[in-house]
Amino acid sequence: KITLNYLAADSTHIQLIADAQSRDIIDWQVVMVDTDQSVWAFTAFVMGFQGKGAVDNVYEADVTFQVTGTVTPPA
């Protein structure tokens, strides 16, 4: 599960909602914010997309993934 700052007009967030509805298995990458920008790669489908109320005018959403294959950690 990840938590993100939700922007209703953001094309990536719109696609995440569509992916949650379709449950299609997709190749994903999570790019970390460390100095090396480490990348975790995995295959998964989006199990859920749950929006949260605003705190200080920032909306959040929890996105839950179901991993369906091997997770490849950073080298």
Side-chain angles (χ1 to χ4, degrees):
K1 181 194 299 191
I2 63 169
T3 300
L4 52 82
N5 289 339
Y6 175 62
L7 302 170
D10 183 274
S11 61
T12 301
H13 298 179
I14 293 167
Q15 186 61 51
L16 279 168
I17 293 168
D19 293 340
Q21 294 169 341
S22 72
R23 301 259 174 138
D24 290 337
I25 296 173
I26 301 169
D27 292 328
W28 296 91
Q29 290 186 334
V30 176
V31 179
M32 307 305 283
V33 295
D34 58 12
T35 55
D36 295 328
Q37 292 189 321
S38 304
V39 176
W40 290 78
F42 57 95
T43 304
F45 63 89
V46 180
M47 285 184 58
F49 188 100
Q50 181 66 48
K52 300 178 182 181
V55 175
D56 294 331
N57 289 328
V58 176
Y59 288 89
E60 291 185 339
D62 288 331
V63 183
T64 306
F65 296 88
Q66 176 63 54
V67 176
T68 60
T70 303
V71 175
T72 305

